[in-house]
Amino acid sequence: MVIGAGISGGTIARELSRYALRVAVLERASDIPYGASRANSSMIHGGFDDKPGTQKARFCPRGNKLYKTLHEELDFKYHNCGSYVCAIGPEEEKHLTMLLSYGKTNGVPGLEIVNGEILRGREPHASREITAALWSPTASIVNNFEASLAFIDNARTNGVDLFMETEVTGLLFDGIYGLDGIGRLDGIDKSKESKNGERARIRGVSTQRGDFTARVVVNAAGVNSDLISRMAGDDSFTIQPTRGEYFIFDKSVGDMVKSFFFSCPSDKGKGVTVARTADDNLLVGPSAVAQEDRENRDTTRLGLEEIFQGAVRLVPGIPRNMAITNFAGVRANSDKEDFYIKALDRPRGFINVAGIKSPGFTSAPAIALHVVDMMKESLGDLVKFEPNPKFVPERRHIPRFSELTMEEREHLAKTDPKWGQIVCRCESVTEAQVVEAIRRGARTVAGVKTWVRPGTGRCQGGFCAPRVVEILARELGVAPIEITRHGGDSYMLTGKTKERMPSERMPSERMPSRRQS
Amino acid sequence: MSAARQVDVAIIGAGPAGLAAGAAARNEGAERVVVFERDWEPGGILQQCIHPGFGLHTFGEELTGPEYAHRYLTRVREAGVEFSLNTMVFQMDKPVLKDGRKTVTFWTMQPERGIEQIEAKSLVLAMGCRERPAGALGVAGSRPSGVYTAGTAQRFVNMEGFMPGTKVVIMGTGDIGLIMARRMLLEGAEVVGVFEIMPWVSGLRRNIAQCLDDFGIPYYLNHSVCELRGRGRLEGVGVVEVGPDRQPIPGSDKFVTCDTLLLAVGLIPENELSRMAGIAIEPITGGPIVNEWMQTSEDCVFAAGNVVVVYDLVDFVSREGERAGKYAARYAMGRLENAKREFKIVPENNVRVVSPQTLTGEDDVTVYLRVGSPVESKCRLYAEPGLFSQRLRYARPGEMNEIKLSASQLKSLASDVTRITVGLEVL
């Protein structure tokens, strides 16, 4: 049982699907990726900025190497664009030297410090203020939506069950904990430990949809992983949600940079990045605001201003009016400096994969391998690791119409008229892509967008939103008013026109409650 | 892939500009005139504009959008224009020389026919415009549902029969937003108010009167929606008053409860195809640079309607569409000579938008222009040297002004004159 279908849960589930095991992934959101895996820099880090000896320093360069082949196997967008950490002045240059030595110890290949002139020769839009930069050729950028989906999608093909909108409310135990055998959010009543000395064992989880039994539970619940861990009696870490705000700019300015630009971290924070995304937009961000709220993904006027100012420090010409949207993500940072990856002694069968902060996305595939090794070593008596004879490592993403050759497009359009029907003009998305996204699990407007991009373009869904709502309703066999933007009460429409006369509508009348689709 | 289909005049878009261009091209004598339209019926955005107010100039009466489209469609069908509906033009090449003249090639996709390559002797770009989304304004906050552009909401209500919300705030005073304020109210929604960041209204004055004042919907100038709140559905918006620098006035923030925000914050000519074809775009209008023949920087490509410049009235769009169709047909038939002269129209003194931007001087022309900021007193509109002068009682950004110039006037200009300045002088 894996709790959480983010990049950590997804990579672990896919790694487990190599074995003849029954694996389920529980996800509380309506669409994946949802948490930190949804809103981040989509960066595959080189692996030079983590202190040698840490788990981060160990998993990040390894993850970087894995992505190099994984993107071919799993067909998500990946560009080996390289990255520059940019220094302005001698103080910041010292930092580059330190990163270079970290990188060498961590085994990151190809690192090199270049001066400002060389940088500007390769990147004409880079600021004249930049005096030197650390070049990391193995750094890459992915489409983080596609990558997250790819692992889960492949895991499902290989037999893993995914349960969406399923929120873990408790853990079930055998053995020494609690009379009712349930770990609760508010902790475990140790006074009720049984006396027979038997080791506590995980028995499953309870959710708002009922109980699931499992011999092993992996906690990859991201920003809520400490709450889940507490249910198991491990309160050795606390998540400190940290919000990061971003701007996305139009594709027409995407080529202002070829590589990923980092600022030098300063006492003001890690500094913003400027990058060309895997889909050729320009990405600017993030800020870093520590907060109590695990759910608050709001952008703020000040935050957006701060990241824009940080970005133009590196690339002065970014035109603000070419922004097409802004968003924020919440990092699942913990109070520990490093990742917290641990198989608990008691209860046995419970594994924390928590505090997967930056470079978590990069590290995830390496962490997944490590977690499975850990299971094999210490939990072999609970689950047998025999190869899954039906395991297929490859998986294909839904064809991206905008990137096909004219012959491929023609071929597809001949096989199914839906391939000839454009739904989203900005990103050239066809109806066939939308239908396939729904077939593979998209249930909301944002879910379809995550899969195949309608609404990510410069009109931000102005033209295609009504079409996507219509197709979702048709394919799911529900009324258009049941369709939501991202689950919960994020419904798109409030009713039919002229359902009632205005005089019949009370001013204080609440919105009708609606069923989940 | 099969050989390219040959067309004399191809028109992209069956909105008011494309329809007018099609009819004009046929009436001018072009043989194979085909209009490519991505929607399954012609008419463009007119089909969702069920309110009256269209056609006063063209037909001398007030029509609804679909009625106006219908009248034009009849003309177009009588003229023998061919339609290719539900057809998306998704790729276009830069025009190339073929047999001594430029031709343009593009690719279309249609569910039943698949992909087709089209080669046209001349082309009219008539793709219209799109609405500016919230992201372009940098509105901060959460990402709830319930935030729509006014046009998307109009489509939901008028064409699909669904309500996008029940308690509405409108951001911006663009015409579609004002129309939708009234429309949502008539459909039973509560309309809280309209907030405009500028000290003036950006749409037509008549829409303020007929859509807001007549229905008691308040509007606030120098106000901006700066924040969205609500995790699922929109729960409300943060509104702030702005100073003369358009920056928020500290302490003026207030929260307005609503479940829907409609955006009427500007229209952007839709020129992705034009860019693929290498057409020169003017940064202020966002549309192709054209002369009075509506000819772009590529000889064989013409453009008309909101793809060139966002017009205030559909009648003007039709008029310029006719012009584009006529000259595109002449080009296709080899009857359009290269211009001997080129005048550049240079805006000054508060004139911000001008179209066309160049003139050959071969034909009479109406130059459309918009002022940058409103003048609410007597003023004089002029074109120099000595071409045009007209007194006005006011000039407002929401309403276009026209300068009519005749070919004979332009031909009489001294041979060293290459610039025509147009401006607005406050008296």
Side-chain angles (χ1 to χ4, degrees), chain A residues 293 295 298-299 301 323-324 326 401 406 409-410 417 419 421-422 425 458 462-463 466 480 485-486 489-498 505 511, chain B residues 1 38 86 90-91 107 109 111 115 130 133 135-136 139-143 145 148 152 156 161-163 165 187-188 226 231-233 248 253 259 270 272:
Chain A
D293 192 337
E295 303 292 324
D298 297 358
T299 55
R301 241 182 297 158
I324 58 174
N326 57 71
F401 177 84
M406 208 58 87
R409 287 167 174 168
E410 193 179 40
W419 277 106
Q421 185 78 57
I422 295 265
R425 301 171 188 178
R458 51 176 69 94
F463 287 116
R485 186 174 192 267
H486 51 255
D489 63 353
S490 67
Y491 45 86
M492 298 288 287
L493 302 164
T494 56
K496 288 186 178 167
T497 48
K498 284 282 167 15
R505 200 183 287 273
M511 212 78 60
Chain B
M1 184 159 275
R38 57 192 159 204
N86 205 10
F90 66 95
Q91 193 156 317
W107 280 262
M109 194 161 75
I115 291 172
R130 64 163 186 272
V139 179
S142 53
R143 292 284 160 268
S145 65
Y148 292 110
T152 305
F156 271 129
F162 288 106
M163 287 295 278
E187 282 293 342
C226 57
R231 301 264 161 92
R233 179 77 186 193
D253 302 53
D259 66 15
E270 217 178 339
E272 283 66 41

Coordinates of all heavy atoms in Angstrom, one line a residue, chain A residues 293 295 298-299 301 323-324 326 401 406 409-410 417 419 421-422 425 458 462-463 466 480 485-486 489-498 505 511, chain B residues 1 38 86 90-91 107 109 111 115 130 133 135-136 139-143 145 148 152 156 161-163 165 187-188 226 231-233 248 253 259 270 272:
Chain A
D293 N -0.2 26.6 7.0 CA -1.3 25.9 6.2 C -0.7 25.0 5.2 O 0.2 25.4 4.4 CB -2.1 27.0 5.5 CG -3.4 26.5 4.9 OD1 -3.5 25.3 4.6 OD2 -4.3 27.4 4.7
E295 N -2.4 23.6 2.8 CA -3.2 23.7 1.6 C -3.1 25.0 0.9 O -3.6 25.1 -0.3 CB -4.7 23.5 2.0 CG -5.1 22.2 2.7 CD -4.9 21.0 1.8 OE1 -5.1 21.1 0.6 OE2 -4.4 19.9 2.3
D298 N -2.0 29.9 -2.6 CA -2.3 31.2 -3.2 C -1.0 31.9 -3.6 O 0.0 31.8 -3.0 CB -3.0 32.0 -2.2 CG -4.3 31.5 -1.7 OD1 -4.7 30.4 -2.3 OD2 -5.0 32.1 -0.9
T299 N -1.1 32.6 -4.7 CA 0.0 33.5 -5.1 C -0.4 34.9 -4.4 O -1.6 35.1 -4.1 CB 0.1 33.7 -6.6 OG1 -1.2 34.1 -7.1 CG2 0.6 32.4 -7.2
R301 N 0.5 39.3 -4.4 CA 1.0 40.4 -5.2 C 2.5 40.6 -4.9 O 3.3 40.7 -5.8 CB 0.3 41.7 -4.8 CG -0.4 42.3 -6.0 CD -1.1 43.6 -5.6 NE -2.2 43.3 -4.6 CZ -2.6 44.3 -3.7 NH1 -2.1 45.5 -3.8 NH2 -3.6 44.0 -2.9
A323 N 3.3 37.3 -19.4 CA 2.9 36.2 -18.5 C 1.5 35.7 -18.9 O 0.7 36.5 -19.3 CB 2.9 36.8 -17.1
I324 N 1.4 34.4 -18.9 CA 0.0 33.9 -19.2 C -0.7 33.3 -17.9 O -1.9 33.3 -17.9 CB 0.0 32.8 -20.3 CG1 0.9 31.6 -20.0 CG2 0.4 33.4 -21.6 CD1 0.8 30.5 -21.0
N326 N 0.0 32.5 -13.3 CA 0.9 32.3 -12.2 C 0.3 31.2 -11.3 O -0.9 31.0 -11.3 CB 1.1 33.6 -11.4 CG -0.2 34.3 -10.9 OD1 -0.8 33.8 -10.0 ND2 -0.6 35.4 -11.6
F401 N -0.3 15.7 -30.5 CA -0.6 16.1 -31.9 C 0.4 17.2 -32.4 O 0.9 17.1 -33.5 CB -2.0 16.6 -32.0 CG -2.4 17.0 -33.4 CD1 -2.7 16.1 -34.4 CD2 -2.3 18.4 -33.7 CE1 -3.0 16.6 -35.6 CE2 -2.6 18.8 -35.0 CZ -3.0 17.9 -36.0
M406 N 3.6 15.6 -40.2 CA 2.4 15.7 -41.0 C 1.8 14.3 -41.4 O 0.6 14.1 -41.3 CB 2.6 16.6 -42.2 CG 1.5 17.3 -42.7 SD 0.8 18.4 -41.5 CE 1.7 19.9 -41.8
R409 N 0.2 12.7 -38.3 CA -1.1 13.4 -38.1 C -2.2 12.9 -39.0 O -3.3 12.5 -38.6 CB -1.0 14.9 -38.3 CG -0.2 15.6 -37.2 CD 0.2 17.0 -37.6 NE 0.8 17.7 -36.6 CZ 1.4 18.9 -36.7 NH1 1.5 19.4 -37.9 NH2 1.9 19.5 -35.7
E410 N -1.8 12.8 -40.3 CA -2.7 12.3 -41.3 C -3.2 10.9 -41.0 O -4.3 10.6 -41.1 CB -2.1 12.4 -42.7 CG -3.1 12.3 -43.8 CD -2.5 12.4 -45.2 OE1 -1.4 11.8 -45.4 OE2 -3.1 13.0 -46.1
P417 N -11.8 10.1 -36.6 CA -12.1 11.5 -36.9 C -11.8 12.4 -35.7 O -11.6 13.6 -35.9 CB -13.6 11.5 -37.2 CG -14.0 10.1 -37.5 CD -13.0 9.2 -36.8
W419 N -9.2 12.5 -34.1 CA -7.9 13.1 -34.3 C -7.9 14.2 -35.2 O -6.9 14.9 -35.3 CB -6.9 12.0 -34.8 CG -6.4 11.1 -33.7 CD1 -6.8 9.8 -33.4 CD2 -5.4 11.5 -32.7 NE1 -6.1 9.4 -32.3 CE2 -5.2 10.4 -31.8 CE3 -4.7 12.7 -32.5 CZ2 -4.3 10.4 -30.8 CZ3 -3.8 12.7 -31.4 CH2 -3.6 11.6 -30.6
Q421 N -10.2 16.6 -35.0 CA -11.0 17.6 -34.3 C -10.1 18.4 -33.3 O -9.9 17.8 -32.2 CB -12.2 17.0 -33.7 CG -13.2 18.0 -33.1 CD -14.0 18.6 -34.1 OE1 -14.7 18.0 -34.9 NE2 -14.0 20.0 -34.2
I422 N -9.7 19.6 -33.6 CA -9.0 20.4 -32.6 C -9.9 20.9 -31.5 O -10.9 21.5 -31.8 CB -8.2 21.5 -33.3 CG1 -7.2 21.0 -34.3 CG2 -7.6 22.5 -32.3 CD1 -5.8 20.9 -33.8
R425 N -7.0 25.4 -29.3 CA -6.3 26.0 -30.5 C -4.8 26.4 -30.1 O -3.9 26.3 -30.9 CB -7.0 27.3 -30.8 CG -8.4 27.2 -31.2 CD -8.9 28.6 -31.3 NE -10.4 28.5 -31.5 CZ -11.1 29.6 -31.7 NH1 -10.6 30.8 -31.6 NH2 -12.4 29.5 -31.8
R458 N -1.9 30.3 -24.4 CA -2.0 31.7 -24.1 C -3.4 32.2 -23.8 O -3.6 33.2 -23.2 CB -1.3 32.5 -25.2 CG -1.8 32.2 -26.6 CD -1.1 33.1 -27.6 NE 0.3 32.9 -27.7 CZ 0.9 32.1 -28.6 NH1 0.1 31.4 -29.4 NH2 2.2 31.9 -28.6
G462 N -9.9 29.9 -22.6 CA -11.0 30.7 -23.0 C -11.9 30.1 -24.1 O -13.1 30.1 -24.1
F463 N -11.2 29.4 -25.0 CA -11.9 28.8 -26.1 C -12.3 27.3 -25.8 O -13.3 26.9 -26.1 CB -11.1 28.8 -27.4 CG -11.1 30.2 -28.1 CD1 -9.9 30.9 -28.2 CD2 -12.2 30.8 -28.5 CE1 -9.8 32.1 -28.8 CE2 -12.2 32.0 -29.1 CZ -11.0 32.7 -29.2
P466 N -15.3 25.3 -22.6 CA -16.6 24.7 -22.8 C -16.6 23.4 -23.5 O -17.4 22.5 -23.3 CB -17.3 25.8 -23.7 CG -16.6 27.0 -23.4 CD -15.2 26.6 -23.1
P480 N -23.2 18.1 -17.7 CA -22.1 19.1 -17.6 C -22.0 19.8 -16.3 O -20.9 20.2 -15.9 CB -22.5 20.1 -18.7 CG -23.3 19.3 -19.7 CD -24.0 18.3 -18.9
R485 N -13.5 21.7 -11.9 CA -12.2 22.1 -12.4 C -11.1 21.2 -11.8 O -10.3 20.7 -12.5 CB -12.0 23.5 -12.0 CG -10.7 24.1 -12.6 CD -10.6 25.6 -12.2 NE -9.6 26.3 -13.0 CZ -8.3 26.4 -12.6 NH1 -8.0 25.9 -11.4 NH2 -7.4 27.0 -13.3
H486 N -11.2 21.0 -10.5 CA -10.2 20.1 -9.9 C -10.7 19.3 -8.7 O -10.1 19.2 -7.7 CB -8.9 20.9 -9.5 CG -9.2 22.1 -8.7 ND1 -9.2 23.4 -9.2 CD2 -9.6 22.3 -7.4 CE1 -9.5 24.3 -8.3 NE2 -9.8 23.6 -7.2
D489 N -15.6 21.1 -4.6 CA -16.7 22.0 -5.0 C -16.2 22.9 -6.1 O -16.8 24.0 -6.2 CB -17.3 22.7 -3.8 CG -16.3 23.6 -3.2 OD1 -15.1 23.6 -3.5 OD2 -16.7 24.4 -2.3
S490 N -15.3 22.5 -6.9 CA -14.8 23.4 -8.0 C -15.6 23.2 -9.3 O -15.0 23.2 -10.3 CB -13.3 23.2 -8.2 OG -13.1 21.9 -8.8
Y491 N -16.9 23.1 -9.1 CA -17.7 22.9 -10.3 C -17.6 24.1 -11.3 O -17.4 25.2 -10.9 CB -19.2 22.7 -9.9 CG -19.6 23.7 -8.9 CD1 -20.1 24.9 -9.2 CD2 -19.5 23.4 -7.5 CE1 -20.5 25.9 -8.3 CE2 -19.9 24.3 -6.5 CZ -20.4 25.6 -6.9 OH -20.7 26.5 -6.0
M492 N -17.8 23.8 -12.5 CA -17.6 24.8 -13.6 C -18.9 25.6 -13.9 O -18.8 26.7 -14.2 CB -17.2 24.1 -14.9 CG -15.9 23.3 -14.8 SD -14.4 24.4 -14.8 CE -14.4 25.0 -16.5
L493 N -20.0 24.9 -13.7 CA -21.3 25.6 -14.1 C -22.2 25.4 -12.9 O -22.1 24.5 -12.1 CB -21.9 24.9 -15.3 CG -21.0 24.9 -16.5 CD1 -21.5 23.9 -17.5 CD2 -21.0 26.3 -17.2
T494 N -23.2 26.4 -12.8 CA -24.1 26.3 -11.6 C -25.5 25.9 -11.9 O -26.3 25.7 -11.1 CB -24.1 27.7 -10.9 OG1 -24.6 28.7 -11.9 CG2 -22.8 28.2 -10.4
G495 N -25.8 25.7 -13.2 CA -27.1 25.2 -13.6 C -27.4 25.5 -15.0 O -26.6 26.0 -15.7
K496 N -28.6 25.2 -15.4 CA -29.0 25.5 -16.7 C -29.6 26.9 -16.7 O -30.0 27.4 -15.7 CB -30.1 24.5 -17.2 CG -29.5 23.2 -17.5 CD -30.6 22.3 -18.1 CE -29.9 20.9 -18.4 NZ -31.0 19.9 -18.7
T497 N -29.6 27.5 -17.9 CA -30.2 28.9 -18.0 C -31.7 28.8 -17.8 O -32.3 27.8 -18.2 CB -29.9 29.5 -19.4 OG1 -30.2 28.6 -20.4 CG2 -28.4 29.9 -19.5
K498 N -32.3 29.8 -17.3 CA -33.7 29.9 -17.2 C -34.3 28.7 -16.5 O -35.4 28.3 -16.8 CB -34.4 30.1 -18.6 CG -34.2 31.5 -19.1 CD -35.2 32.5 -18.5 CE -35.0 33.9 -18.7 NZ -34.2 34.5 -19.6
R505 N -35.6 33.4 -7.2 CA -34.3 33.1 -6.6 C -34.1 34.0 -5.4 O -34.2 35.2 -5.5 CB -33.2 33.3 -7.6 CG -31.9 32.7 -7.3 CD -30.9 33.0 -8.3 NE -31.2 32.4 -9.6 CZ -30.7 31.2 -9.9 NH1 -30.0 30.5 -9.1 NH2 -30.9 30.7 -11.1
M511 N -25.5 27.9 -3.1 CA -25.3 27.1 -4.3 C -25.9 25.7 -4.0 O -25.7 25.2 -2.9 CB -23.8 27.0 -4.5 CG -23.4 26.8 -5.9 SD -23.5 28.4 -6.6 CE -22.4 29.2 -5.6
Chain B
M1 N 1.2 11.7 -48.9 CA 0.2 12.8 -48.8 C -0.2 13.3 -50.2 O 0.7 13.5 -51.1 CB 0.8 14.0 -48.0 CG -0.2 15.1 -47.7 SD 0.3 16.0 -46.3 CE -0.4 15.1 -45.0
R38 N -13.1 27.2 -38.4 CA -12.8 26.1 -37.4 C -14.1 25.7 -36.7 O -14.2 24.6 -36.2 CB -11.8 26.5 -36.4 CG -12.1 27.8 -35.7 CD -10.9 28.3 -34.9 NE -11.1 29.7 -34.6 CZ -10.1 30.6 -34.4 NH1 -8.8 30.2 -34.5 NH2 -10.3 31.9 -34.2
N86 N -15.9 23.4 -39.8 CA -15.2 22.5 -38.8 C -13.8 22.2 -39.3 O -13.3 21.1 -39.1 CB -16.0 21.2 -38.7 CG -15.8 20.6 -37.3 OD1 -15.1 21.1 -36.4 ND2 -16.3 19.3 -37.2
F90 N -4.0 24.7 -39.2 CA -3.1 24.6 -38.0 C -1.6 24.9 -38.4 O -0.8 24.9 -37.5 CB -3.2 23.2 -37.4 CG -2.8 22.1 -38.2 CD1 -1.6 21.5 -38.1 CD2 -3.7 21.5 -39.1 CE1 -1.2 20.5 -38.9 CE2 -3.3 20.5 -39.9 CZ -2.1 19.9 -39.8
Q91 N -1.3 25.0 -39.7 CA 0.1 25.3 -40.0 C 0.1 26.1 -41.3 O -0.7 25.9 -42.2 CB 0.8 24.0 -40.2 CG 2.3 24.3 -40.2 CD 3.1 23.0 -39.8 OE1 2.8 22.3 -38.8 NE2 4.2 22.7 -40.5
W107 N -2.0 24.2 -44.1 CA -2.6 22.8 -43.9 C -3.8 23.0 -43.0 O -3.9 23.7 -42.0 CB -1.6 22.0 -43.1 CG -0.5 21.4 -44.0 CD1 -0.5 20.1 -44.6 CD2 0.7 22.0 -44.5 NE1 0.6 20.0 -45.4 CE2 1.3 21.1 -45.4 CE3 1.2 23.3 -44.3 CZ2 2.5 21.4 -46.0 CZ3 2.4 23.6 -45.0 CH2 3.0 22.6 -45.8
M109 N -7.2 20.8 -41.1 CA -7.6 19.5 -40.6 C -9.1 19.5 -40.4 O -9.7 20.5 -39.9 CB -6.9 19.3 -39.3 CG -7.0 17.8 -38.9 SD -5.8 17.5 -37.7 CE -6.4 18.3 -36.3
P111 N -12.4 16.7 -39.4 CA -12.5 15.3 -38.9 C -12.8 14.3 -40.0 O -12.2 13.2 -39.9 CB -13.7 15.4 -37.9 CG -13.7 16.9 -37.4 CD -13.2 17.7 -38.6
I115 N -6.3 15.6 -43.0 CA -5.4 16.7 -43.3 C -5.3 17.0 -44.8 O -5.2 16.1 -45.6 CB -4.0 16.4 -42.7 CG1 -4.1 16.4 -41.2 CG2 -3.0 17.5 -43.2 CD1 -2.9 16.0 -40.5
R130 N -8.9 37.1 -29.6 CA -9.2 36.4 -28.4 C -9.1 37.3 -27.2 O -8.6 38.4 -27.2 CB -8.3 35.2 -28.2 CG -6.8 35.6 -28.0 CD -6.0 34.4 -27.4 NE -4.7 35.0 -27.1 CZ -3.7 35.1 -27.9 NH1 -3.8 34.6 -29.1 NH2 -2.5 35.6 -27.6
P133 N -6.6 36.6 -20.7 CA -7.0 35.9 -19.5 C -6.5 36.6 -18.3 O -5.7 37.5 -18.3 CB -6.3 34.6 -19.7 CG -5.1 34.9 -20.5 CD -5.4 36.1 -21.4
G135 N -4.4 35.5 -16.1 CA -3.0 35.3 -15.8 C -2.2 36.4 -16.4 O -1.1 36.8 -15.9
A136 N -2.6 36.9 -17.5 CA -1.9 38.0 -18.2 C -1.8 39.3 -17.3 O -1.0 40.1 -17.5 CB -2.5 38.3 -19.6
V139 N -3.1 38.6 -11.8 CA -4.0 38.6 -10.6 C -3.5 37.5 -9.7 O -3.4 36.3 -10.1 CB -5.5 38.3 -11.1 CG1 -6.4 38.3 -9.9 CG2 -5.9 39.4 -12.0
A140 N -3.3 37.8 -8.4 CA -2.8 36.8 -7.5 C -3.9 36.1 -6.8 O -5.1 36.3 -7.1 CB -1.9 37.6 -6.4
G141 N -3.5 35.1 -6.0 CA -4.5 34.4 -5.2 C -4.6 32.9 -5.5 O -3.6 32.4 -6.0
S142 N -5.7 32.3 -5.3 CA -5.9 30.9 -5.5 C -6.3 30.7 -6.9 O -6.5 31.6 -7.7 CB -6.9 30.4 -4.5 OG -8.1 31.1 -4.6
R143 N -6.5 29.4 -7.3 CA -6.9 29.1 -8.6 C -8.3 28.3 -8.6 O -8.3 27.1 -9.0 CB -5.8 28.2 -9.3 CG -4.5 28.9 -9.6 CD -4.7 29.9 -10.8 NE -3.7 30.9 -10.8 CZ -3.9 32.1 -10.3 NH1 -5.0 32.4 -9.6 NH2 -2.9 33.0 -10.3
S145 N -12.4 27.5 -9.5 CA -13.2 27.5 -10.7 C -14.1 28.8 -10.6 O -14.2 29.3 -9.5 CB -14.0 26.3 -10.9 OG -14.9 26.1 -9.8
Y148 N -13.9 33.2 -15.6 CA -14.1 33.0 -17.0 C -13.9 34.4 -17.7 O -14.1 35.4 -17.1 CB -15.5 32.6 -17.3 CG -15.9 31.2 -16.9 CD1 -16.7 31.0 -15.8 CD2 -15.3 30.1 -17.5 CE1 -17.1 29.7 -15.4 CE2 -15.6 28.8 -17.1 CZ -16.5 28.6 -16.0 OH -16.8 27.4 -15.6
T152 N -16.3 33.6 -23.0 CA -16.5 32.1 -22.6 C -17.9 32.0 -21.9 O -18.6 31.1 -22.2 CB -15.4 31.6 -21.7 OG1 -14.1 31.9 -22.4 CG2 -15.5 30.1 -21.5
F156 N -21.2 29.9 -23.0 CA -22.0 28.9 -22.1 C -23.4 29.3 -22.0 O -24.3 28.5 -22.1 CB -21.4 29.0 -20.7 CG -20.2 28.0 -20.5 CD1 -19.0 28.4 -19.9 CD2 -20.4 26.6 -20.8 CE1 -18.0 27.5 -19.7 CE2 -19.4 25.7 -20.5 CZ -18.2 26.1 -20.0
G161 N -26.5 27.0 -23.1 CA -27.6 26.9 -22.2 C -27.3 26.6 -20.7 O -28.1 26.1 -20.0
F162 N -26.1 27.0 -20.3 CA -25.7 26.8 -19.0 C -25.3 28.1 -18.3 O -24.7 29.0 -18.9 CB -24.5 25.8 -18.9 CG -24.9 24.4 -19.2 CD1 -24.5 23.8 -20.4 CD2 -25.6 23.7 -18.2 CE1 -24.9 22.5 -20.7 CE2 -26.0 22.4 -18.5 CZ -25.6 21.8 -19.7
M163 N -25.5 28.1 -17.0 CA -25.1 29.3 -16.2 C -23.7 29.1 -15.6 O -23.5 28.1 -15.0 CB -26.0 29.6 -15.1 CG -27.4 30.1 -15.5 SD -27.2 31.7 -16.3 CE -27.2 32.7 -14.8
G165 N -22.4 30.8 -13.3 CA -22.4 31.2 -11.9 C -23.6 32.0 -11.5 O -24.5 32.2 -12.3
E187 N -30.7 36.5 -16.7 CA -30.8 35.1 -16.5 C -30.9 34.7 -15.0 O -30.9 33.5 -14.6 CB -29.6 34.3 -17.1 CG -29.6 34.2 -18.6 CD -30.8 33.2 -19.0 OE1 -31.3 32.4 -18.2 OE2 -31.1 33.3 -20.2
G188 N -31.0 35.7 -14.1 CA -31.3 35.4 -12.7 C -30.1 35.5 -11.8 O -30.2 35.2 -10.6
C226 N -7.7 42.3 -7.6 CA -6.3 42.0 -7.5 C -6.0 40.6 -6.9 O -4.9 40.1 -6.9 CB -5.5 43.1 -6.7 SG -6.3 43.3 -5.1
R231 N -10.8 27.8 -2.6 CA -10.0 26.7 -3.0 C -10.6 25.9 -4.1 O -10.0 25.3 -5.0 CB -9.7 25.8 -1.8 CG -9.0 26.6 -0.7 CD -7.5 26.3 -0.7 NE -6.8 27.4 0.1 CZ -6.5 27.3 1.3 NH1 -6.7 26.2 2.0 NH2 -5.9 28.3 2.0
G232 N -12.0 25.7 -3.9 CA -12.7 24.9 -4.9 C -13.3 25.9 -5.9 O -12.7 26.3 -6.9
R233 N -14.5 26.3 -5.6 CA -15.2 27.4 -6.4 C -14.8 28.7 -5.9 O -14.5 28.9 -4.7 CB -16.7 27.2 -6.3 CG -17.5 28.2 -7.1 CD -17.5 27.9 -8.6 NE -18.2 29.0 -9.3 CZ -18.6 28.9 -10.6 NH1 -18.4 27.9 -11.3 NH2 -19.2 30.0 -11.1
P248 N -2.0 50.1 -6.4 CA -3.0 50.1 -5.3 C -2.8 51.1 -4.3 O -1.7 51.4 -3.9 CB -2.8 48.7 -4.7 CG -2.1 47.9 -5.8 CD -1.3 48.8 -6.5
D253 N -8.1 48.1 0.2 CA -8.5 46.7 -0.2 C -9.9 46.5 0.4 O -10.2 46.8 1.6 CB -7.6 45.7 0.5 CG -6.2 45.9 0.0 OD1 -5.7 47.0 0.1 OD2 -5.6 44.9 -0.4
D259 N -19.3 34.2 -6.7 CA -18.9 32.8 -7.1 C -18.4 32.8 -8.5 O -18.0 31.8 -9.1 CB -20.0 31.8 -6.9 CG -21.2 32.0 -7.8 OD1 -21.1 32.8 -8.8 OD2 -22.2 31.4 -7.5
E270 N -5.6 37.6 -33.0 CA -5.1 36.2 -33.0 C -4.3 35.9 -34.2 O -4.7 35.5 -35.3 CB -6.3 35.2 -32.9 CG -6.0 34.0 -32.1 CD -7.1 33.0 -31.9 OE1 -8.3 33.4 -32.2 OE2 -6.8 31.9 -31.6
E272 N -1.3 33.9 -34.6 CA -0.4 32.8 -34.6 C -0.1 32.4 -36.0 O 1.1 32.1 -36.3 CB -0.9 31.7 -33.7 CG -0.8 31.9 -32.2 CD -1.6 33.0 -31.7 OE1 -2.8 33.1 -32.2 OE2 -1.2 33.8 -30.9

